Amino acid sequence: MFANRFTAFVDACCLVGVLKRNLLLTLAEAEFFRLRWSEPVLVETERAIQGIYERRGAPEAAEQAKRARGKMEAAFEEAMVSDFEQYLSLCGKLPDPNDAHVVAAALKTQASAIVTDNLKHFPTEILAPLNLYARSADSFIADTIDLDPGRAVAAIRVMRHRFKKPEKTAELLLLDMEACGLTDTVSARSLRDPRKRNRAEILQAKGGFPRERNRISELILRKPYETVDVLRSHVLSL
């Protein structure tokens, strides 16, 4: 429904953690946005996942990380961005030159947003002239849910049922979201904070949000302090 008009390039730091990765991929699978990444991003992701397994003392850490990457690529065959080297010259003023490949690939695929938790590496004053902007995974997921809360929660419910080791109740899923820094997603502050509504309006102008107000937005205007309970009631019905 929304996938034809909004593309997001996801940085490796948002794909390493299991929960953030699953939430982003779940919402992409539900066609809220078009997901894009690149070979350097997946190489970095695989390396970081391997490091997590090694620190846990897990056997065959490299093989487990390789399988995780393989599942991602198999599920989103169209997500790979390649041949973006010609755009690297536009990214020379980034704080960390090693991040230039992220911006270059985002430009190649004409993404509207870069989803990254390293926001300081992607300053607005550099991205804005390129018609790009950076969003944290938390902010991006929260605003994506705002597109259609009912449909998003239905997709997340399916995701939750996939967790087997251990299984997760809805309450535990909320706690895990908070523990990994997804506080805006859990509390729905992005739906009732005027500053974040302004950012949502920017996203809408870029094609990421529908022009019609959804049910949550209507509740924000009438009863802003009930929004958290409304979203929690949706999530806890997962």
Side-chain angles (χ1 to χ4, degrees), residues 16 47-58 61:
V16 175
R47 185 186 305 119
I49 293 174
Q50 179 179 339
I52 291 173
Y53 281 127
E54 288 174 345
R55 288 191 293 275
R56 293 176 179 173

Side-chain angles (χ1 to χ4, degrees), residues 121-150:
H121 290 184
F122 300 93
T124 300
E125 59 268 23
I126 293 177
L127 295 190
L130 301 175
N131 201 29
L132 282 170
Y133 65 102
R135 301 294 299 278
S136 69
D138 186 22
S139 180
F140 181 82
I141 292 169
D143 284 341
T144 300
I145 290 173
D146 188 32
L147 288 169
D148 187 338

Side-chain angles (χ1 to χ4, degrees), residues 8 82 107 182:
S82 57
L107 289 172
L182 297 175

Side-chain angles (χ1 to χ4, degrees), residues 1-10 24 27-28 31-36 109-115 131-136 139-141 143-145 147 199-200 202-210:
M1 180 178 179
F2 304 109
N4 290 332
R5 51 181 178 166
F6 184 58
T7 300
F9 188 89
V10 181
L24 287 166
L27 294 171
E31 297 188 341
F32 279 86
F33 65 96
R34 289 184 296 186
L35 172 70
R36 295 293 183 265
T109 194
Q110 298 183 342
S112 297
I114 294 173
V115 183
N131 201 29
L132 282 170
Y133 65 102
R135 301 294 299 278
S136 69
S139 180
F140 181 82
I141 292 169
D143 284 341
T144 300
I145 290 173
L147 288 169
R199 292 207 302 271
I202 293 172
L203 185 57
Q204 175 178 310
K206 289 177 174 288
F209 278 81

